[in-house]
Amino acid sequence: MSDRQRYPSDVTDAQWALIGPFLEAWQATRVSVAGQQGGGYQLREILNAILYQTRTGCQWAYLPHDLPPKSATYYYFALWRDDGTDQAIHDLLRCQAREKAGRAEDPSAVVLDTQSIRAANHVPAATTGKDAGKKVPGRKRGLAVDALGLIIAVVVTAASVSDNVIGIELLDKVAEHTPTVTRAWVDSGFQQNFALHGAVLGIDIEVVKRTDTTAGFVPVKKRWIVEQVNGTLMLHRRLAREYETRPESSVSRTLWASMANIVRRLTGTSTPTWR
């Protein structure tokens, strides 16, 4: 760890002990012809830079000078995004969190939902659209989470894409990575062909409808879990608006935010919010 003053988003020694071994093992397999590993920057500092940007929402060029520069940070961010390192580390940490809670490594049920996010001006129009129902121009983030609120799958598309299409893609990812899942709870926005696709995959779909008979806010059975996850993710300012040029980067950014939440859960620590 460097001698610089610590940022609230930096990983602690206990948190680095959870993530560090995976990144160090990854680095050990990437020795260059000249015998060098990486670009001379500590992987812990690269991780701190990614988490700082995810938490604060700053632009790449506005990363603090005492963190690795944009060139190095984005290099690793894109590399881990494209080779699946971010997904692999996230899934391993999720398994640890489930075991700590006394659960099996893989869940048997998930909750699905989508959230429309407004896009910044520089986000390509080809990868954005307008949510016809919520009138939100931008992208739509689909999540599949377990009963503990841990993310199982993420899908990011244009906001104009229907919940059905996103739900089918989420189910495919769930079935591929966690074949133990046999049940999924969704809202009424997911239609018949989605349920049929779930049946093909061996996943029973249950639609949980909202009731308007009770005044005030009432958590909806099972669906409140994924709603809470969405709210927690929005505390990471980089996810409060769609800034990423590529949808794949948005998926990766969601995974890093989720990882920050998981390691805090595993180590019993917290990070001050920006409110």
Side-chain angles (χ1 to χ4, degrees):
M1 184 68 180
S2 66
D3 295 329
R4 65 171 176 79
Q5 186 175 353
R6 186 180 183 278
Y7 292 106
S9 57
D10 286 354
V11 291
T12 63
D13 290 341
Q15 292 169 356
W16 176 247
L18 294 171
I19 301 178
F22 300 124
L23 292 180
E24 290 166 355
W26 171 87
Q27 187 181 47
T29 65
R30 299 189 61 84
V31 180
S32 68
V33 177
Q36 298 178 342
Q37 293 178 317
Y41 295 98
Q42 296 179 14
L43 290 184
R44 182 169 177 173
E45 286 294 85
I46 295 292
L47 175 62
N48 284 334
I50 293 175
L51 296 182
Y52 177 93
Q53 187 185 41
T54 303
R55 190 73 181 188
T56 66
C58 75
Q59 296 165 279
W60 283 104
Y62 284 78
L63 283 171
H65 294 300
D66 53 0
L67 288 174
K70 168 190 174 181
S71 57
T73 303
Y74 182 77
Y75 170 80
Y76 282 100
F77 174 82
L79 197 58
W80 292 336
R81 174 198 65 199
D82 295 339
D83 69 6
T85 296
D86 53 3
Q87 181 77 61
I89 296 175
H90 176 272
D91 291 348
L92 290 168
L93 290 173
R94 185 193 70 227
C95 290
Q96 291 182 37
R98 286 185 57 83
E99 286 183 333
K100 183 178 180 180
R103 304 288 186 113
E105 284 191 0
D106 293 320
S108 60
V110 292
V111 190
L112 275 62
D113 196 18
T114 63
Q115 181 182 37
S116 295
I117 310 293
R118 289 184 178 273
N121 292 335
H122 69 275
V123 178
T127 61
T128 61
K130 188 171 184 178
D131 186 326
K134 299 177 181 177
K135 310 300 181 184
V136 176
R139 289 192 180 134
K140 190 178 288 186
R141 182 188 305 130
L143 295 179
V145 307
D146 66 8
L148 299 178
L150 301 173
I151 294 177
I152 305 299
V154 186
V155 170
V156 176
T157 68
S160 54
V161 176
S162 69
D163 286 358
N164 259 6
V165 173
I166 296 175
I168 288 173
E169 189 173 347
L170 281 171
L171 285 182
D172 287 339
K173 285 192 171 187
V174 168
E176 178 183 357
H177 297 291
T178 51
T180 55
V181 172
T182 58
R183 193 174 189 82
W185 291 284
V186 298
D187 62 27
S188 56
F190 296 86
Q191 302 301 322
Q192 185 66 24
N193 56 339
F194 168 78
L196 292 174
H197 190 74
V200 171
L201 296 174
I203 300 176
D204 183 33
I205 306 298
E206 180 181 341
V207 178
V208 182
K209 296 183 178 180
R210 185 183 302 274
T211 175
D212 296 324
T213 59
T214 305
F217 171 75
V218 178
V220 181
K221 172 188 173 184
K222 302 299 181 183
R223 282 171 47 190
W224 70 266
I225 301 173
V226 68
E227 296 288 354
Q228 184 183 59
V229 175
N230 278 324
T232 304
L233 290 176
M234 295 296 273
L235 294 175
H236 299 263
R237 283 189 170 185
R238 190 77 180 189
L239 298 177
R241 183 176 285 265
E242 188 57 60
Y243 294 111
E244 309 300 336
T245 302
R246 296 173 54 182
E248 296 88 346
S249 294
S250 295
V251 172
S252 182
R253 189 71 68 176
T254 303
L255 292 175
W256 285 116
S258 178
M259 275 187 267
N261 292 337
I262 292 175
V263 294
R264 286 197 294 272
R265 180 182 296 198
L266 288 170
T267 57
T269 55
S270 62
T271 297
T273 70
W274 41 260
R275 293 180 177 178

